[in-house]
Amino acid sequence: MQIVTIEAPAKINLTLDVKGKRSDGYHELETVMHQVDLFDRITLEFRSSGIEIASNSNSIPLGEENLAYKAALMILQEYQPGAGVNIFIEKNIPVGAGLAGGSTDAAAVLVGINHLYDCRFSRPQLLKMAAAIGSDVAFCLSGHYFEARPGELVSRGFTAIARGRGELLESLPSRMIPNIVIVKPEFELSTAQVYSELDLEAVEQFPDNGSFLQAWNKGDIINISVYMVNVLESVSIRKKPEIGIIKSRLIEMGALRALMSGSGPSVFAIFPDNETAFRAYQVFKKDYHEIYLLSSYKRGD
Ligand code: ATP
């Protein structure tokens, strides 16, 4: 096999709680992550040596700083040092958005090279590499399966509660959420800076993950929305009040709830029906260029 193409979906954080700071400097997280139907397309092609990245986007680095490059280097060094790959990133996920754009590309590269070169690394081995690349990469990797038919690679929607730095995953039953609107404002926010400015004493609302999971298990969209809380909003909205304004506007337009994803700045909202969601999408489209009306990524059953 000389070429492999994989969809690399974005995630949203339906809840995000920070439990404290760890001795290694990272924060202890508890967050529910859910893949949505917005994806980059990663094409990998056999190359005798060297890693080359090309993309339709001029907003991402094409060298060693690209997480896809880091992933390729890591797996190829484990498998066959010196082996190469051409990587084409069709970038559809907005960059620096809190939607795990870089992490999902890295995850797709790990599973894609494993497939292209028939490296036969096990899932735990791939997950270990993923966790070494970045906090969200293990989550993003978990939606990709090899088992469907021999030689076939399938990507399915994945939802999990992630703990630790985000790499300790407990998968949740798959649920299809329709009528999601995502708005990405023009600016970017540094994840590291948002975490460093978090003051847990100043947080007004923490997620109740127990109640969220009950609603999730029942597939109860109303209560799923009620229990969506992200503690990082307290920092990001203070730095960029536009995030709060987007949230309020989405609610005024009929959303069940609107929440910032990850450390921002993207805001997503769940609407009760397609008509209301489409109306909001049209209104926001006048002001925002990166705006999406979508649902969960393909359901896994
Ligand atoms: P997360 O939700 O995991 O915090 P994010 O969605 O906020 O991630 P990314 O889109 O991954 O952010 O981009 C963060 C930074 O990573 C950008 O400034 C970008 O230059 C860099 N980056 C490296 N590789 C990639 C990639 N393949 N795609 C997007 N950004 C990348």
Side-chain angles (χ1 to χ4, degrees):
M1 191 192 317
Q2 297 286 313
I3 196 158
V4 165
T5 298
I6 308 181
E7 292 179 359
K11 61 84 185 154
I12 52 177
N13 298 77
L14 297 173
T15 69
L16 196 157
D17 198 4
V18 174
K19 300 290 191 184
K21 200 157 179 197
R22 303 161 21 143
S23 53
D24 61 5
Y26 286 97
H27 287 80
E28 187 70 27
L29 297 182
E30 188 168 87
T31 176
V32 174
M33 295 198 270
H34 178 70
Q35 288 183 318
V36 290
D37 198 16
L38 168 64
F39 50 85
D40 293 345
R41 207 174 264 111
I42 307 294
T43 302
L44 302 164
E45 192 183 15
F46 178 81
R47 178 186 172 96
S48 55
S49 67
I51 299 166
E52 278 288 327
I53 300 191
S55 176
N56 63 335
S57 163
N58 51 19
S59 311
I60 56 169
L62 298 180
E64 291 169 15
E65 322 82 83
N66 197 304
L67 289 184
Y69 186 103
K70 289 191 192 348
L73 189 64
M74 183 171 292
I75 188 168
L76 289 174
Q77 276 187 342
E78 290 274 332
Y79 174 62
Q80 193 182 312
V85 68
N86 285 325
I87 304 173
F88 185 80
I89 302 177
E90 181 193 307
K91 192 39 91 184
N92 302 310
I93 304 171
V95 176
L99 301 172
S103 303
T104 194
D105 293 353
V109 165
L110 288 179
V111 289
I113 290 181
N114 198 37
H115 195 55
L116 182 71
Y117 280 88
D118 200 20
C119 310
R120 299 184 188 207
F121 285 118
S122 65
R123 181 160 288 267
Q125 285 173 309
L126 292 174
L127 285 170
K128 199 167 161 206
M129 292 182 216
I133 296 165
S135 304
D136 292 341
V137 184
F139 169 80
C140 297
L141 188 130
S142 301
H144 298 288
Y145 292 79
F146 298 101
E147 292 83 4
R149 267 181 258 146
E152 193 184 27
L153 180 63
V154 178
S155 308
R156 290 175 174 168
F158 185 59
T159 307
I161 183 154
R163 299 189 176 87
R165 282 170 48 200
E167 81 289 8
L168 303 174
L169 299 167
E170 185 188 322
S171 75
L172 298 179
S174 101
R175 297 283 176 259
M176 174 56 69
I177 308 181
N179 311 316
I180 305 171
V181 172
I182 300 180
V183 183
K184 154 75 172 57
E186 288 291 312
F187 53 86
E188 288 185 29
L189 278 172
S190 150
T191 302
Q193 206 175 348
V194 170
Y195 275 98
S196 74
E197 290 181 29
L198 177 65
D199 173 7
L200 287 173
E201 313 253 303
V203 172
E204 281 172 15
Q205 197 185 7
F206 288 89
D208 171 356
N209 273 330
S211 299
F212 177 87
L213 292 178
Q214 266 184 17
W216 184 262
N217 288 334
K218 287 188 206 148
D220 171 357
I221 300 269
I222 303 279
N223 274 311
I224 287 173
S225 306
V226 166
Y227 290 108
M228 291 188 335
V229 176
N230 178 348
V231 297
L232 297 178
E233 281 186 344
S234 58
V235 182
S236 301
I237 294 178
R238 192 177 61 235
K239 292 173 84 65
K240 293 284 183 185
E242 188 177 339
I243 295 170
I245 295 167
I246 294 170
K247 280 187 58 163
S248 307
R249 284 182 68 197
L250 286 162
I251 298 291
E252 277 162 27
M253 287 178 206
L256 296 169
R257 190 153 177 109
L259 198 75
M260 186 181 79
S261 181
S263 55
S266 296
V267 176
F268 68 93
I270 299 181
F271 282 83
D273 57 72
N274 187 258
E275 208 186 336
T276 323
F278 187 62
R279 216 177 304 130
Y281 169 82
Q282 282 183 311
V283 170
F284 270 89
K285 202 154 180 53
K286 293 185 191 134
D287 300 330
Y288 292 93
H289 147 73
E290 291 177 299
I291 161 117
Y292 310 87
L293 170 56
L294 40 71
S295 57
S296 307
Y297 190 64
K298 281 174 260 180
R299 198 173 160 147
D301 53 27

